[in-house]
Amino acid sequence: RLGGTPFFVVEADEYDSAFFDKRSKFVHYRPRTAVLNNLEFDHADIFPDLAAIERQFHHLVRTVPASGLIIHPAQDEALQRVIKMGCWTPRQTTGEGGNWQARLLSDDGSRFEVWLDGELQGVAEWQQTGQHNVANALSALSAARHVGVTPAQGIASLGGFRNAKRRMEKLAEVNGITVYDDFAHHPTAIATTLAGLRAQIGDAPLIAVIEPRSNTMRLGRHREALAASARDADQVIWYQPPGLEWSLDAVVAESPVPARVETDLDALVASVAAQPGPLNVVIMSNGGFGGVHEKLLAALRQRLP
């Protein structure tokens, strides 16, 4: 235990436990405080549809004791359906119409007011950006309050928060080109992450380099939503990884911003490295992406005078 506290945080999802146990992993954890962040269709290799995932979330909700707390966004329709299946645990909601709400003081979400049941709790200032991170902050404040941390203490702690690696992680700035790494591999995550960065950088040029690598992506279940998900970039490079059994050409054709498909990592790196700064490049994948991050930084440094 770190810091002598009896509390710890587990990030859990609905993926199955083992080949011999097809229940979602999180039904084994039995939390006292459960944050249901959002619920969309994913893991198409495991679940046939969204309703099957909602059923697993219902099982999770039933494991939280009456002395516990369930926290979820007020406007998430899938989570509303889960709660209606049966919930006998106290709840707190976040976002529009919720108990916990944020009012942005900066467009990028780096500064915002925190309100609880209509009363101002304080102003948060931190290094994160994007509406999705503001939503995460509200959930964290609610969970922390459930174990005795006052809203004022929680808001102050946000100022010192450092995000996990691969969550809009700034890798380096070389020759005016800033390179970020992000784990986003779902259309909603791609869209919210790019929107947050766009709010931060304003009109500065932004290239998104995206590898649709997850099992759900490989099955083509999110194909229709991909083009619009990158609308906040000025240019998108879609990488067609080996084993992707459908073509990204339709995604490019429907793209609201200039886009193209690359199948060669070295050519991809060379084309990005040849761009003049200032420029922001976000590399998005849930895998190693063939070491493209290191290759791009090496190519950029070779151009240094």
Side-chain angles (χ1 to χ4, degrees):
R1 290 176 178 170
L2 300 178
T5 174
F7 305 107
F8 62 92
V9 178
V10 175
E11 181 185 8
D13 72 5
E14 65 272 18
Y15 215 79
D16 62 354
S17 299
F19 72 90
F20 53 84
D21 184 355
K22 293 306 176 184
R23 292 174 295 174
S24 292
K25 293 191 297 291
F26 54 37
V27 302
H28 299 289
Y29 297 163
R30 299 189 177 276
R32 179 173 177 268
T33 309
V35 176
L36 311 183
N37 231 11
N38 68 310
L39 181 49
E40 297 182 72
F41 182 71
D42 203 355
H43 307 309
D45 53 326
I46 300 295
F47 298 104
D49 51 33
L50 181 58
I53 304 177
E54 291 174 3
R55 174 60 58 179
Q56 291 297 320
F57 269 73
H58 169 64
H59 295 329
L60 168 64
V61 166
R62 294 294 300 274
T63 69
V64 183
S67 60
L69 179 68
I70 292 173
I71 303 159
H72 65 89
Q75 299 299 318
D76 191 302
E77 294 182 0
L79 289 177
Q80 289 176 4
R81 290 194 293 269
V82 169
I83 297 301
K84 288 178 180 177
M85 289 183 192
C87 177
W88 294 269
T89 303
R91 295 183 293 120
Q92 284 197 337
T93 53
T94 62
E96 182 182 352
N99 302 107
W100 293 83
Q101 297 188 31
R103 295 181 183 173
L104 297 188
L105 300 177
S106 60
D107 290 340
D108 65 357
S110 61
R111 189 168 181 266
F112 58 94
E113 293 177 343
V114 176
W115 292 74
L116 172 59
D117 293 330
E119 294 187 6
L120 178 64
Q121 304 298 310
V123 175
E125 297 186 60
W126 63 342
Q127 294 187 358
Q128 309 309 308
T129 59
Q131 290 276 13
H132 60 303
N133 279 320
V134 173
N136 289 341
L138 294 179
S139 295
L141 290 171
S142 178
R145 181 172 179 264
H146 190 228
V147 299
V149 178
T150 68
Q153 290 172 321
I155 291 167
S157 295
L158 288 176
F161 175 70
R162 300 294 179 269
N163 210 347
K165 291 181 69 65
R166 306 206 66 193
R167 299 293 183 182
M168 195 47 71
E169 179 186 2
K170 182 178 177 179
L171 298 180
E173 182 177 347
V174 184
N175 268 359
I177 298 180
T178 305
V179 181
Y180 299 88
D181 180 21
D182 196 89
F183 194 74
H185 60 279
H186 184 285
T188 301
I190 293 171
T192 54
T193 300
L194 290 176
L197 182 58
R198 172 57 70 198
Q200 179 184 0
I201 65 175
D203 294 330
L206 171 59
I207 295 179
V209 180
I210 307 174
E211 178 189 31
R213 178 185 174 275
S214 71
N215 289 327
T216 306
M217 286 286 198
R218 288 179 181 276
L219 291 170
R221 295 295 293 269
H222 293 316
R223 185 179 344 194
E224 292 78 11
L226 280 179
S229 72
R231 60 185 174 272
D232 279 308
D234 294 297
Q235 180 187 157
V236 188
I237 302 175
W238 296 96
Y239 176 65
Q240 181 104 14
L244 191 69
E245 297 180 355
W246 53 276
S247 173
L248 285 162
D249 290 344
V251 175
V252 169
E254 297 167 4
S255 178
V257 298
R260 72 175 194 272
V261 177
E262 280 283 1
T263 58
D264 184 283
L265 278 181
D266 291 333
L268 187 159
V269 167
S271 66
V272 175
Q275 300 269 357
L279 176 67
N280 297 274
V281 179
V282 184
I283 300 170
M284 311 179 99
S285 171
N286 72 337
F289 206 157
V292 71
H293 315 78
E294 295 80 9
K295 291 178 179 179
L296 176 58
L297 291 176
L300 292 172
R301 288 169 180 142
Q302 287 178 356
R303 293 177 52 206
L304 287 172

